[in-house]
Every structure is written in structure tokens, then in C-alpha cells.
Amino acid sequence: MSFLQDPSFFTMGMWSIGAGALGAAALALLLANTDVFLSKSQKATLEYLEDIDLKTLEKEPRTFKAKELWEKNGAVIMAVRRPGCFLCREEAADLSSLKPKLDELGVPLYAVVKEQIRTEVQDFQPYFKGEIFLDEKKRFYGPQRRKMMFMGFVRLGVWYNFFRARNGGFSGNLEGEGFILGGVFVVGSGKQGILLEHREKEFGDKVNPVSVLEAARKIQPQTSAAESK
């Protein structure tokens, strides 16, 4: 048992433990930056979206079915993860930059939020140039609601998104629920269907504005569809 009295034996043991811990940490970091542990999204159907109850943000709110948003002219709809998030504000500004072209197409731009806290929605409106509605049951964030917890803060893509938005001059706060991931939809008029469905896979995973515009150009307003029959 003389080897137990050898200091080099303990040194070697400690190095082995340290190397093992570093290896495990490196593996965990590597896996966290793949899609292995990301929540899997489930595509929504038109019927699912049509049946969602939304509320206006007036003093006396009106509840209505979401299909009213796109029934006549289609719509571009942003499901906002958190209005106070500077990444969400960046995406809202990107979508708002399309508003002149969407107006030419006759396609409205809307957003839904999952909660209304103090002045959060009001503070979000300078970044978003469309009407905003409340989705209390968070159904626009489904059918399979997805979350990103603290793993998001070790993803390189998230940090890249942080720096991109900061460099773009966007700022925010920590008010409200921000772990349920959002998305963007382009929905055609009537029964035309969902033309684009972007599901945020990590914090700051923005939709491509070019893809949004391409999908919006495919929308056939109800009047045009009726005349073509």
C-alpha cells in the first residue's frame, strides 16, 4: 500500500477527476448547441388557428375567433414571446419594415401576446406597426407549446442573436413570461391555408422577412377568389 503514500498518485487522481469533469462539461456544452434537446414543434392546422379565442386590448375588450384576422385578405401574424424582450422587439421592427409592401398587397399585419402586464404592450407598440391582441390561452404558441429554459443561455446562436440586437440599438426589460417560444404565421384568406409557419427554435431566432413577403404575395383576397370562380 506504499502507493497510497505517494503524492504523485493523488495528483494523478485529481487530474483524472478534473479531466473527466471538463470532458463532461464540454460534451454538455456541445449537446446544448445542437438541436438534440430542443422542444419539437408541431405544425398547426388552419382549423386549429381558426378556433383560437382572441381579445382586443381596449378598456372593454371584445372576444372573437382568430379567423376574423385573415378571413378576407389573409394576414401576417407574430406570436410574441415577450413584448419587453429586446430580441422580440428586433423581430417586430423587421416585420414592421414590411408594412408598406404589405399595405400595397392589402395584407394586414397583426401580433398576439400571451399576457398584458402594466405598460409592456404599450411599450412594444413603437416597434410593431400593426394591431395587437391577447391570446390568454396561449394557443398561438401551440398546438405543442415549446419552452426554452436556461439552456438557451449556453447556446452560441442565442449569444450571437443577443449581440446582433444590441448592436442594432434594441433594448428591453425582464418583465413577464419569456420561456414559451413564439413564431410568425402567414395565413391566406378564407380556406387558403397556412402559407408560412415559422417557429422560434431559440431566443432571437427570427423569421426571414423575404420569406414572409414571398408568402404574403401568394395570398388571394376573398374578392379575387370569388371573381375567379
Side-chain angles (χ1 to χ4, degrees):
M1 301 294 288
S2 60
F3 67 89
L4 292 177
Q5 299 174 348
D6 184 357
S8 64
F9 173 79
F10 291 102
T11 302
M12 187 183 301
M14 292 303 292
W15 272 106
S16 298
I17 293 172
L22 285 173
L27 179 61
L29 184 61
L30 178 64
L31 290 175
N33 280 277
T34 67
D35 293 347
V36 173
F37 295 116
L38 293 183
S39 301
K40 305 301 179 185
S41 63
Q42 178 183 343
K43 287 191 174 296
T45 63
L46 181 63
E47 291 73 21
Y48 172 84
L49 295 181
E50 286 179 329
D51 195 48
I52 295 175
D53 289 322
L54 297 177
K55 281 186 178 180
T56 60
L57 299 177
E58 304 157 341
K59 288 185 178 179
E60 296 182 6
R62 178 178 74 91
T63 301
F64 64 97
K65 293 296 183 183
K67 66 179 180 180
E68 285 188 26
L69 298 182
W70 59 80
E71 203 159 25
K72 292 183 179 179
N73 297 302
V76 175
I77 305 166
M78 178 183 181
V80 182
R81 180 167 53 80
R82 191 170 62 81
C85 172
F86 69 104
L87 296 171
C88 299
R89 291 175 173 182
E90 180 195 30
E91 183 169 30
D94 281 357
L95 288 172
S96 295
S97 71
L98 300 178
K99 186 108 178 24
K101 292 181 180 178
L102 292 175
D103 287 345
E104 288 178 10
L105 296 169
V107 177
L109 175 65
Y110 300 117
V112 297
V113 295
K114 46 183 146 66
E115 56 188 355
Q116 188 176 13
I117 300 176
R118 291 185 283 279
T119 62
E120 288 303 292
V121 174
Q122 182 180 340
D123 295 340
F124 181 70
Q125 286 177 320
Y127 304 93
F128 189 78
K129 305 305 180 185
E131 288 187 73
I132 303 174
F133 303 98
L134 180 63
D135 176 14
E136 287 183 315
K137 295 181 180 178
K138 305 177 181 66
R139 295 194 64 204
F140 260 102
Y141 303 84
Q144 183 174 324
R145 202 175 297 167
R146 300 162 305 117
K147 287 187 176 183
M148 172 161 280
M149 305 299 284
F150 297 104
M151 182 184 73
F153 297 102
V154 298
R155 289 181 64 86
L156 298 178
V158 171
W159 282 99
Y160 171 81
N161 297 338
F162 283 166
F163 287 118
R164 181 196 63 219
R166 288 294 185 196
N167 290 337
F170 293 92
S171 60
N173 57 54
L174 298 176
E175 294 285 341
E177 195 286 321
F179 294 121
I180 298 175
L181 298 171
V184 173
F185 300 85
V186 179
V187 187
S189 64
K191 294 293 184 179
Q192 192 179 357
I194 301 169
L195 304 176
L196 181 145
E197 180 176 353
H198 170 79
R199 298 286 185 169
E200 186 182 26
K201 76 173 186 177
E202 63 184 6
F203 302 144
D205 175 30
K206 301 188 299 179
V207 69
N208 185 337
V210 175
S211 299
V212 172
L213 201 55
E214 287 176 353
R217 289 193 175 112
K218 296 176 183 176
I219 294 175
Q220 300 173 344
Q222 280 288 73
T223 51
S224 299
E227 289 170 1
S228 63
K229 288 183 179 179

